[in-house]
């Protein structure tokens, strides 16, 4: 699997499906429940058959129970469409009440979960997110998670 990370200066430079998923992820931030962080995150993924599933972060007064947008979308996809591979996932974020996107790269927990989805389906997932200095990033889960822990370790 590829561990190449690509950087793009403008969203327009990404392929049409990636741009569409970024748009769907932006839409998904509408359903973010983030009264504590006030950081609204949305994720949208595309399955191999073109189905799009989205998710938004869901917070809780008991902070460790907060769930990231990426995992909401991933678990929804696995539950509703078991066995279908995920081709791409986009994640975006903005501060509550702000229109412009903030840089937001997947947290370590989401990278670990993405990696397990990727290794289960034996096919890279293209992850698209907005990094520092306004650069769009495209990478597989493996690319985002060097020296990772996986099930091979226990075999
Ligand atoms: N968050 C995500 O939804 N995805 C990430 O990859 C990073 C963080 C959410 C969790 C929490 O609701 C808020 O952003 C602040 O951490």
């Amino acid at each position: 699997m590829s561990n190449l990370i690509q950087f793009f200066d403008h969203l327009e430079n990404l392929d049409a499906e990636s741009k569409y998923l970024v748009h769907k992820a932006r839409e998904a931030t509408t359903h973010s429940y983030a009264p504590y962080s006030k950081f609204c995150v949305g994720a949208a993924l595309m399955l191999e058959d073109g189905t799009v599933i989205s998710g938004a972060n869901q917070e809780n007064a008991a902070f460790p129970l907060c769930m990231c947008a990426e995992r909401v979308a991933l678990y929804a996809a696995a539950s509703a469409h078991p066995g279908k591979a995920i081709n791409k996932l986009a994640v975006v974020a903005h501060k509550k009440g702000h229109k412009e996107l903030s840089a937001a790269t997947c947290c370590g927990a989401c990278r670990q979960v993405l990696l397990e989805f990727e290794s289960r389906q034996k096919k890279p997932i293209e992850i698209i997110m907005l990094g520092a200095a306004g650069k769009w990033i495209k990478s597989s889960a493996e690319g985002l998670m060097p020296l990772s822990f996986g099930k091979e370790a226990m075999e």
Side-chain angles (χ1 to χ4, degrees), residues 32-43 55-60 63 66-72 91-93 104-111 129:
S32 162
Y33 175 64
Y36 307 106
S37 71
K38 300 184 170 38
F39 196 60
C40 304
V41 188
N57 57 328
Q58 304 297 323
E59 299 189 346
N60 192 278
F63 289 175
C66 294
M67 183 54 65
C68 292
E70 297 91 315
R71 277 176 286 160
V72 172
V91 56
V92 302
T105 47
C106 302
C107 78
C110 289
R111 292 179 195 212
M129 55 201 185

Side-chain angles (χ1 to χ4, degrees), residues 42-121:
L45 60 81
M46 190 178 282
L47 301 175
E48 58 190 348
D49 67 357
T51 306
V52 173
I53 310 267
S54 50
N57 57 328
Q58 304 297 323
E59 299 189 346
N60 192 278
F63 289 175
L65 303 182
C66 294
M67 183 54 65
C68 292
E70 297 91 315
R71 277 176 286 160
V72 172
L74 288 166
Y75 294 149
S79 309
H81 302 272
K84 275 192 199 151
I86 296 167
N87 285 351
K88 277 176 194 280
L89 178 146
V91 56
V92 302
H94 61 83
K95 293 183 184 135
K96 200 174 240 167
H98 292 240
K99 275 209 164 101
E100 70 280 11
L101 295 179
S102 301
T105 47
C106 302
C107 78
C110 289
R111 292 179 195 212
Q112 180 71 28
V113 170
L114 279 159
L115 189 69
E116 185 120 358
F117 271 74
E118 190 172 84
S119 57
R120 271 172 79 185
Q121 68 180 38

